[in-house]
Amino acid sequence: MAKEIKLLGVTIDDRLTFNTHIKNVCRKAIAVHQQLCRAAKVSWGLNPEVIKIIYVAVIEPIVLYAASVWAPAASKLGIIKQLRVLQRGIAQKMCKAYRTVSLNSALLLAGILPLDLRIREVALLYEAKKGVAQELLGDREMERMASALDSPHPAARVDLEIGRVMDQEQIDASANSEIKIYTDGSKIEGRVGAAVSIWIGNTETRTLKLALANFCTVYQAELLAICRATKEIRRSTAESFGIYSDSMAALQTVKNHGCLHPLAVETRDNLKAISRQAKIVNLYWIKAHAGIEGNERADALAKEAAINSKKKPDYDLCPVSFVKRHARMVTLDEWNHRYNTGQTASITKMFFPDAVAAYRTIRKVGMNAIRTQIMTGHGGFSEYLNRFKCKENPSCICDPNTLETVPHILLDCPIFAQERYTIECELDTRIQKDKIGEIIKGRNRIKFLEYCENLANKTIKRNKNTV
């Protein structure tokens, strides 16, 4: 009897440990990493952004394939260790770090999350999409895509075209519809609303205000408004209609029969029923805030619906984006806990004391080899060179009893007192250890990093001449 089978690319063992599967995907991902190693070194080779694209588009999908099946196995220490070994080398390449840099520092400076947490995140999102109850959703119901099996046959589909209108004059010039219906959605003060404004000629005859749950998106609001407009058309006795929306994304979703969003599917069903009633409906995209009276009116109504509505929401299905956002928050909190409680990355923590803030900031920093050396302490500094037997003396030339480390160079070394005084005047703040994190997050980040690079380059050049 076979103890393992391979089903759709997943190796399943008789004890459901998935050890073999994880070992195989790690081996496959490491093979890609080894190819990268030949073309990416600390001082030359592939740009870090290129390496990150390869990681996100190739390596991560290899590991995350069918993660919802074997996600529980990723919490075992042995599996986590394998994933860390894989990810550490790749993260070091992304931020141009030395091989001695810790996993915590490499991941943070590369701007990527631990693989075991990403596996858990992907599995959670898949389960939520399939309707499995999730703690983070509470009593909310997930918005699920319609089944492709319920889609109409291509021959039975209603072909839709989207016109473009830029101003009121174009609407007046092409007024070939008995009834014009303007739709809009709005999110304001954390609340969401949608509106439908119905016009005959130059007179507004009816309005609809629609409330959505606070966790809904403007995209959902725009789709809901268009859907309700088609419902009104089904009830109307007129023969020609124009639906005007300033959301091209919503209109394209309705037009695309391959998109199975429930509101888009319902809208297309309504349009199909309308065509059987021998009514004509034209869809138009209009430029927002261009002085078009109907659009401005729909926008005002949507904001009123969002702010003032106290009724039960007309639409309260939880969007996928809400689940993604909250799943990412859980992942970042766990990563931050690991980062802060870890025994490594002490120099990195001086620049980035909080991993959550760093994850949002690091892409603005523009990492390169010298900045990575500064933020890890692993570079051409006497203390580091002495640790790996590359230099006899770990002390700074300013004082034989003081180690030449990154904090010493940036904060205390009297050799760089003039540079330090200049940057403190420019930033209007003292350069202190507990203030560096705030400086990195602020507007003066670039000036401070240039100061750091200047001092580091001088130190590294001096040490090269003395090694």
Side-chain angles (χ1 to χ4, degrees):
M1 180 178 177
K3 292 188 176 182
E4 293 180 350
I5 61 170
K6 192 168 185 178
L7 184 62
L8 297 177
V10 179
T11 304
I12 306 171
D13 58 87
D14 57 347
R15 296 186 179 182
L16 296 180
T17 63
F18 294 99
N19 290 339
T20 303
H21 174 76
I22 296 170
K23 183 178 179 179
N24 290 339
V25 296
C26 286
R27 185 187 298 116
K28 188 176 180 180
I30 287 173
V32 178
H33 170 235
Q34 289 173 343
Q35 296 294 323
L36 280 177
C37 290
R38 300 176 185 177
K41 302 295 181 181
V42 172
S43 58
W44 60 269
L46 293 175
N47 185 282
E49 285 300 316
V50 175
I51 300 173
K52 188 167 185 177
I53 290 171
I54 294 172
Y55 172 78
V56 172
V58 180
I59 297 175
E60 203 175 60
I62 290 174
V63 179
L64 298 181
Y65 175 72
S68 58
V69 176
W70 53 272
S75 61
K76 295 185 291 187
L77 291 178
I79 301 301
I80 291 175
K81 185 176 180 180
Q82 290 184 59
L83 296 172
R84 286 177 176 175
V85 169
L86 162 66
Q87 201 172 22
R88 182 184 179 190
I90 298 169
Q92 288 169 347
K93 294 298 179 186
M94 283 189 204
C95 59
K96 296 289 186 180
Y98 285 14
R99 287 184 295 174
T100 53
V101 169
S102 68
L103 176 67
N104 273 340
S105 287
L107 288 179
L108 186 134
L109 297 180
I112 59 177
L113 298 171
L115 271 174
D116 62 303
L117 298 182
R118 284 285 292 124
I119 290 165
R120 188 191 310 173
E121 183 179 280
V122 169
L124 185 149
L125 181 61
Y126 177 83
E127 291 175 354
K129 287 180 177 180
K130 294 300 180 181
V132 178
Q134 300 293 333
E135 185 178 348
L136 64 86
L137 284 174
D139 59 350
R140 305 179 186 94
E141 184 179 351
M142 182 79 178
E143 182 181 72
R144 299 174 63 184
M145 298 298 104
S147 173
L149 298 175
D150 297 331
S151 299
H153 188 276
R157 293 173 179 173
V158 177
D159 292 329
L160 302 172
E161 296 297 332
I162 300 173
R164 291 173 177 263
V165 177
M166 303 302 292
D167 53 38
Q168 186 67 48
E169 290 183 3
Q170 290 187 8
I171 290 181
D172 294 338
S174 61
N176 54 0
S177 302
E178 291 182 53
I179 297 178
K180 295 189 288 289
I181 304 177
Y182 297 90
T183 66
D184 206 354
S186 177
K187 187 162 190 173
I188 185 171
E189 298 179 9
R191 306 186 68 179
V192 188
V196 177
S197 178
I198 303 173
W199 294 63
I200 297 178
N202 296 321
T203 305
E204 183 182 58
T205 58
R206 191 178 174 206
T207 62
L208 289 174
K209 295 181 183 178
L210 308 168
L212 290 85
N214 294 343
F215 49 77
C216 289
T217 63
V218 176
Y219 173 69
Q220 288 176 305
E222 298 278 8
L223 280 174
L224 178 63
I226 295 173
C227 184
R228 285 301 178 91
T230 57
K231 282 187 176 181
E232 292 300 312
I233 293 173
R234 290 185 67 174
R235 300 190 189 103
S236 176
T237 57
E239 295 182 354
S240 61
F241 304 83
I243 297 178
Y244 299 83
S245 172
D246 59 13
S247 173
M248 179 59 79
L251 290 169
Q252 291 285 6
T253 300
V254 172
K255 179 182 177 181
N256 180 11
H257 288 272
C259 180
L260 300 177
H261 191 287
L263 288 172
V265 171
E266 184 178 353
T267 301
R268 288 194 291 267
D269 289 342
N270 288 337
L271 290 172
K272 185 177 179 180
I274 290 167
S275 68
R276 288 197 294 263
Q277 295 174 342
K279 298 175 182 177
I280 299 173
V281 178
N282 295 308
L283 302 179
Y284 296 97
W285 172 81
I286 53 176
K287 186 177 181 180
H289 309 297
I292 299 174
E293 188 177 7
N295 177 247
E296 298 295 338
R297 175 61 174 160
D299 180 61
L301 290 170
K303 290 176 180 177
E304 289 178 16
I307 296 173
N308 301 326
S309 178
K310 297 181 180 179
K311 64 177 182 178
K312 180 181 177 181
D314 296 276
Y315 192 82
D316 61 355
L317 295 182
C318 189
V320 174
S321 59
F322 176 86
V323 181
K324 284 183 178 178
R325 183 168 61 252
H326 281 262
R328 179 53 54 87
M329 288 171 60
V330 171
T331 299
L332 288 173
D333 287 342
E334 176 61 26
W335 165 222
N336 194 38
H337 174 72
R338 291 185 188 181
Y339 176 73
N340 289 323
T341 57
Q343 301 301 312
T344 59
S346 58
I347 302 297
T348 307
K349 289 173 184 176
M350 183 175 75
F351 292 88
F352 299 102
D354 182 80
V356 177
Y359 185 75
R360 301 188 180 104
T361 305
I362 197 67
R363 67 192 65 182
K364 303 174 185 177
V365 172
M367 295 303 299
N368 54 38
I370 189 64
R371 289 182 181 180
T372 297
Q373 290 185 49
I374 295 166
M375 294 180 182
T376 60
H378 290 231
F381 312 108
S382 294
E383 185 273 336
Y384 176 81
L385 294 172
N386 175 262
R387 197 193 322 169
F388 292 96
K389 314 301 181 185
C390 296
K391 190 177 181 183
E392 292 183 3
N393 192 345
S395 62
C396 182
I397 61 173
C398 71
D399 184 354
N401 298 317
T402 302
L403 296 177
E404 186 184 79
T405 61
V406 169
H408 170 70
I409 294 168
L410 299 182
L411 306 176
D412 304 315
C413 186
I415 296 173
F416 301 115
Q418 181 60 49
E419 290 90 336
R420 194 174 301 112
Y421 174 76
T422 302
I423 192 64
E424 286 178 342
C425 291
E426 290 183 11
L427 302 183
D428 193 25
T429 186
R430 289 290 303 276
I431 304 298
Q432 298 175 340
K433 188 174 182 179
D434 58 350
K435 291 185 177 180
I436 290 179
E438 291 300 319
I439 295 174
I440 292 293
K441 288 194 298 184
R443 296 179 179 178
N444 295 316
R445 178 192 311 114
I446 300 301
K447 288 183 180 180
F448 177 72
L449 290 174
E450 289 174 351
Y451 158 77
C452 294
E453 287 188 59
N454 180 32
L455 270 55
N457 282 324
K458 290 180 179 179
T459 303
I460 293 169
K461 183 178 179 180
R462 183 180 66 233
N463 287 330
K464 278 184 178 180
N465 295 330
T466 57
V467 172

